[in-house]
Amino acid sequence: MIFKEKKIVLVGWSTGTPVSLNFMKNYPDIKIVGLVSVAGFVNNTGRELNDKVVPYFLNIVNPQDNFGEVISGLDGIYRSTSFKPLSDELYAFFLGNSVMAPYEYSISAVVPYSLMEFYITLNIPTLHIIGEHDIITDMNIN
Ligand SMILES: *[C@@H]1O[C@H](CO)[C@@H](O)[C@H](O)[C@H]1NC(C)=O
């Protein structure tokens, strides 16, 4: 297959970090040569959500039968968590993608996980990028 001839670097943003790590864990025959994590966690079990965003996260995960609250929570997250305001285009892109995400994906934002045991076995270059003003990803426990 074509991907076996290419050098693959996985880049995961936010939940993309555990998704990338789970991919590497579940498909060890696919050679990955590097991992870039952008504001994502390897182990989020020690994370405490910033008080500013807790209500928004509660809106997106509970209750799921009220779609207006889900949209309101997503809106709050995208309007309050970036240091600089998002462009209208990027805001619409994020909101559109998130609204279509399945419930299992939304809830993953608040479910504790640790991929540390797998992560420490990696022998490829990894780069973790965290914004100095990020209020969701804590640089100290990443
Ligand atoms: C994950 O983070 C928590 C909190 O910082 C820590 O207590 C725990 O030991 C970590 N897990 C692993 C496997 O390193």
Side-chain angles (χ1 to χ4, degrees):
M1 283 192 213
I2 275 219
F3 63 75
K4 287 191 174 165
E5 299 161 14
K6 303 284 183 188
K7 289 189 171 180
I8 302 170
V9 175
L10 293 181
V11 180
W13 172 59
S14 185
T15 311
T17 297
V19 169
S20 297
L21 288 167
N22 275 312
F23 179 84
M24 287 189 269
K25 194 175 163 183
N26 295 332
Y27 298 94
D29 294 343
I30 298 176
K31 188 171 185 254
I32 304 299
V33 301
L35 169 71
V36 179
S37 165
V38 184
F41 291 95
V42 171
N43 170 13
N44 77 351
T45 60
R47 172 175 76 164
E48 283 184 32
L49 276 177
N50 183 299
D51 289 345
K52 208 171 144 188
V53 296
V54 167
Y56 302 135
F57 276 96
L58 290 176
N59 272 1
I60 67 170
V61 298
N62 181 36
Q64 275 298 301
D65 56 355
N66 187 336
F67 202 56
E69 283 190 27
V70 173
I71 292 172
S72 164
L74 292 169
D75 174 70
I77 288 169
Y78 293 128
R79 292 200 187 281
S80 68
T81 58
S82 65
F83 180 61
K84 291 181 183 171
L86 302 176
S87 68
D88 290 345
E89 292 81 8
L90 191 57
Y91 169 82
F93 175 76
F94 283 161
L95 191 62
N97 269 323
S98 308
V99 162
M100 292 188 300
Y103 178 67
E104 291 74 17
Y105 178 84
S106 298
I107 195 100
S108 74
V110 294
V111 172
Y113 61 83
S114 177
L115 288 154
M116 197 62 95
E117 279 181 28
F118 173 71
Y119 183 80
I120 61 174
T121 68
L122 292 178
N123 56 6
I124 57 172
T126 62
L127 172 65
H128 293 261
I129 301 169
I130 303 163
E132 188 179 351
H133 302 283
D134 194 316
I135 64 169
I136 293 182
T137 311
D138 183 335
M139 203 175 304
N140 297 317
I141 61 166
N142 204 309

